[in-house]
Amino acid sequence: MDIKAIISDDLGIPTSLIDEALARARLDVKKFVIPKRNGQKRVILQPSKKLKTIQYWLIINIFKKLNVHSAAFAYRDNLSILENAEVHKGNKYFLKMDLKDFFPSINYSDLIPLIASWHSKETPSWTLSKNAEVLIRLSCFYQNDFLPVGYPSSPIISNVVMYKFDTEISNLINDMEKFGEVIYTRYADDLVFSTNKQGACNLLLKAITDYIAKSESPKLVVNTAKTKFGSSSGGTASVTGLKICNEGRITIHRKQKDHIRLLLSLYGKSILNPEEYNSLLGHLSYIHHVDPAFYSKLQSKYFMQIAELRAANKAS
């Protein structure tokens, strides 16, 4: 059966609407530019509502049925940067690597063989015809068939495409004599390796860099400027923005703590800009999740401010 007919039946929309969305898939796209911390700019693309509707169908009926490696912690239910950091907290030595232009490095040609393999095994009710391939390509990829930042389907597609990468990296580092017992996690474009074997991180860096240079699908590039070594005993172990202390406790960095204390102090003196209230509440919720001990300290010192801030938020 034609995939468009099934989508039409499932969503209760005419096939003409699907055809219209596909015909204008790369035209009806809004672009947003946000600055990065390094001074460069990140382009966010927002597809039309019609195209989003098709993407959500594809997510539920295809992409969620494809393999995602257990090392992938981003964009998955019940996983966050806290869980990503916790699996590393028993180790002393850390290697952090970053992949340059991660989403745009992933192409439609990286995804379609995976869909074809799954389709041949599971034989869903729709045919993987040229029309079906075109629908997936136009719905989920942008100009030059690259994976765009901002499409609802992009996060899960990235995890699916990276399954082979995550599997081969996990196999590559499985050398106890050379690297010790290594833990590997990937949070989108952030790769984290940890071990208790001193000196192993340098060997890991060479092995991973060599593998990425030879890998063809997806074609990834290491952002060497963001490659970092760390040690929990030295106080420099940071995993996806969280600090791992030498006793294995996870917390936020001192600058973040000082910034939140400052915001609470300014709020208590009635000189905090009201536009920053929601940001402060967001910070507090984040701390409550990742570092309950520090949150309790803030509660004991700024109890009145936090209670007033939360009450005002509920009232609004």
Side-chain angles (χ1 to χ4, degrees), residues 267 299 302-313:
Y267 178 81
Q299 268 284 83
Y302 299 101
F303 175 79
M304 293 298 295
Q305 291 91 329
I306 293 174
E308 183 181 319
L309 192 62
R310 293 194 183 282
N313 182 63

Side-chain angles (χ1 to χ4, degrees), residues 176-238:
M176 290 282 290
E177 186 176 345
K178 189 175 183 180
F179 305 121
E181 188 172 352
V182 182
I183 292 175
Y184 160 62
T185 61
R186 181 181 57 80
Y187 201 91
D189 56 354
D190 289 324
L191 315 180
V192 181
F193 303 88
S194 66
T195 177
N196 281 319
K197 186 175 177 67
Q198 191 170 10
C201 286
N202 283 298
L203 299 175
L204 280 168
L205 176 60
K206 185 179 186 315
I208 304 305
T209 303
D210 288 348
Y211 169 79
I212 291 175
K214 295 174 184 175
S215 180
E216 291 295 328
S217 179
K219 189 61 181 174
L220 304 168
V221 176
V222 176
N223 186 349
T224 54
K226 291 188 176 182
T227 297
K228 295 180 180 178
F229 296 97
S231 167
S232 59
S233 57
T236 57
S238 178

Side-chain angles (χ1 to χ4, degrees), residues 159-297:
N159 273 344
V160 166
V161 168
M162 290 292 284
Y163 177 76
K164 178 184 175 185
F165 175 92
D166 292 333
T167 300
E168 294 190 352
I169 289 293
S170 297
N171 292 335
L172 179 65
I173 63 177
N174 191 23
D175 186 336
M176 290 282 290
E177 186 176 345
K178 189 175 183 180
F179 305 121
E181 188 172 352
V182 182
I183 292 175
Y184 160 62
T185 61
R186 181 181 57 80
Y187 201 91
D189 56 354
D190 289 324
L191 315 180
V192 181
F193 303 88
S194 66
T195 177
N196 281 319
K197 186 175 177 67
Q198 191 170 10
C201 286
N202 283 298
L203 299 175
L204 280 168
L205 176 60
K206 185 179 186 315
I208 304 305
T209 303
D210 288 348
Y211 169 79
I212 291 175
K214 295 174 184 175
S215 180
E216 291 295 328
S217 179
K219 189 61 181 174
L220 304 168
V221 176
V222 176
N223 186 349
T224 54
K226 291 188 176 182
T227 297
K228 295 180 180 178
F229 296 97
S231 167
S232 59
S233 57
T236 57
S238 178
V239 175
T240 45
L242 297 175
K243 181 180 177 181
I244 299 180
C245 304
N246 56 6
E247 73 276 20
R249 183 173 59 87
I250 295 173
T251 185
I252 62 174
H253 291 271
R254 180 173 294 178
K255 283 186 178 180
Q256 292 174 286
K257 291 180 178 180
D258 291 343
H259 178 66
I260 293 160
R261 289 192 189 101
L262 174 62
L263 292 179
L264 284 168
S265 177
L266 293 175
Y267 178 81
K269 296 174 183 176
S270 300
I271 55 177
L272 181 66
N273 189 329
E275 293 180 359
E276 293 193 69
Y277 289 2
N278 284 337
S279 176
L280 177 53
L281 281 168
H283 282 306
L284 291 170
S285 295
Y286 171 70
I287 295 165
H288 193 244
H289 175 60
V290 302
D291 191 353
F294 177 60
Y295 181 81
S296 295
K297 289 181 181 179

Side-chain angles (χ1 to χ4, degrees), residues 63 66-68 111 114 156-164:
F63 305 148
L66 302 181
N67 289 326
V68 172
L111 174 67
L114 305 177
I156 191 169
I157 288 175
S158 72
N159 273 344
V160 166
V161 168
M162 290 292 284
Y163 177 76
K164 178 184 175 185

